[in-house]
Amino acid sequence: MAAAFRAWAVAWAGWTLLALLFGVSSSLTYLSTGRPANWTIALGRAFSEWWLWALLTPVVVWLGRRFPLNRRLWPRSLAVHAIAGTALALAKTMADRALFALISGFWTYILASAFALQLVVYAAIVAATHGLEYYRRSREREQLERRLADTRLQLLNVQLQPHFLFNTLNTIAELVHEDPEAADRMITGLADLLRRSLALGGGQEIPLESELELL
């Protein structure tokens, strides 16, 4: 719950920053041409447009997760996003027009470029959702692989019994000078034991026959 709230807060802050950028840019454009800037209308329009997208973001994110563009389901998902994107873009364009009329007092024309911009924003949110999902799954996969590697090391450590291994190496070191042939046989046996232990370490279950052979 806390993670979802933080994600929502970050998304809202991002849309707010974008609204400020467009509102200030629009006002500065008027000033650069020698015309007076109406900061109230410019900022009010920018905030109303981009905060609407902040409200729509959870819906688009849900659609992006519910209908991922993977290899198996991409035709169906693409059709869903085409329909949903067109519907949301049209509704968003009409809402922007109504809010601007409420702020400024007059109605504007519905431009095809405004509708196209809404489609682009929808596609950008879906793409960002896919990117974040891919990153999250990659992190989860890395964590699982790390845990699996740690578990295998622990199992291998239990199987090899380090104190037995160290004692065997010490015995071999003593036999090298006293009985080289016996030391050679012990080295060969130890190598065979380690090879069998490693071969048995990757399975979830070990047959009794393999355990007896190892003994």
Side-chain angles (χ1 to χ4, degrees):
M1 189 69 179
F5 178 78
R6 286 196 299 268
W8 170 254
V10 170
W12 189 275
W15 290 118
T16 301
L17 182 62
L18 199 60
L20 281 172
L21 178 64
F22 273 84
V24 172
S25 176
S26 176
S27 298
L28 292 178
T29 300
Y30 274 95
L31 291 176
S32 65
T33 58
R35 292 176 294 176
N38 192 325
W39 290 91
T40 301
I41 294 179
L43 291 175
R45 182 178 187 180
F47 278 111
S48 65
E49 290 181 355
W50 296 108
W51 275 354
L52 273 179
W53 270 121
L55 295 175
L56 291 173
T57 295
V59 177
V60 181
V61 170
W62 180 85
L63 287 171
R65 291 176 176 174
R66 179 66 178 81
F67 302 98
L69 296 172
N70 53 30
R71 294 181 179 179
R72 294 187 300 107
L73 302 175
W74 72 264
R76 185 196 68 172
S77 298
L78 186 61
V80 170
H81 286 301
I83 296 172
T86 301
L88 284 177
L90 182 60
K92 175 67 167 53
T93 302
M94 298 299 296
D96 287 343
R97 182 170 179 262
L99 286 174
F100 183 72
L102 183 64
I103 295 172
S104 63
F106 60 90
W107 291 84
T108 58
Y109 293 103
I110 298 178
L111 301 176
S113 59
F115 175 76
L117 175 62
Q118 312 308 325
L119 283 177
V120 170
V121 175
Y122 176 90
I125 297 175
V126 172
T129 301
H130 280 73
L132 290 175
E133 280 293 305
Y134 177 79
Y135 175 75
R136 182 182 62 82
R137 292 179 181 178
S138 298
R139 289 292 302 273
E140 289 180 352
R141 184 164 54 249
E142 290 176 0
Q143 292 176 358
L144 289 175
E145 290 176 353
R146 191 180 303 112
R147 292 175 183 173
L148 180 59
D150 292 340
T151 302
R152 286 178 175 174
L153 287 176
Q154 293 174 3
L155 290 175
L156 186 59
N157 182 54
V158 172
Q159 287 180 339
L160 292 181
Q161 299 180 358
H163 67 279
F164 161 76
L165 180 61
F166 295 147
N167 291 337
T168 305
L169 291 175
N170 290 331
T171 303
I172 292 173
E174 295 176 359
L175 287 176
V176 165
H177 303 287
E178 300 175 1
D179 191 349
E181 293 184 0
D184 183 68
R185 289 195 301 271
M186 288 190 69
I187 292 174
T188 303
L190 180 61
D192 185 55
L193 177 63
L194 294 176
R195 188 181 303 110
R196 289 175 180 268
S197 298
L198 291 172
L200 295 176
Q204 296 291 333
E205 298 180 353
I206 299 176
L208 178 59
E209 181 181 0
S210 299
E211 285 282 4
L212 293 177
E213 290 179 359
L214 182 62
L215 291 175

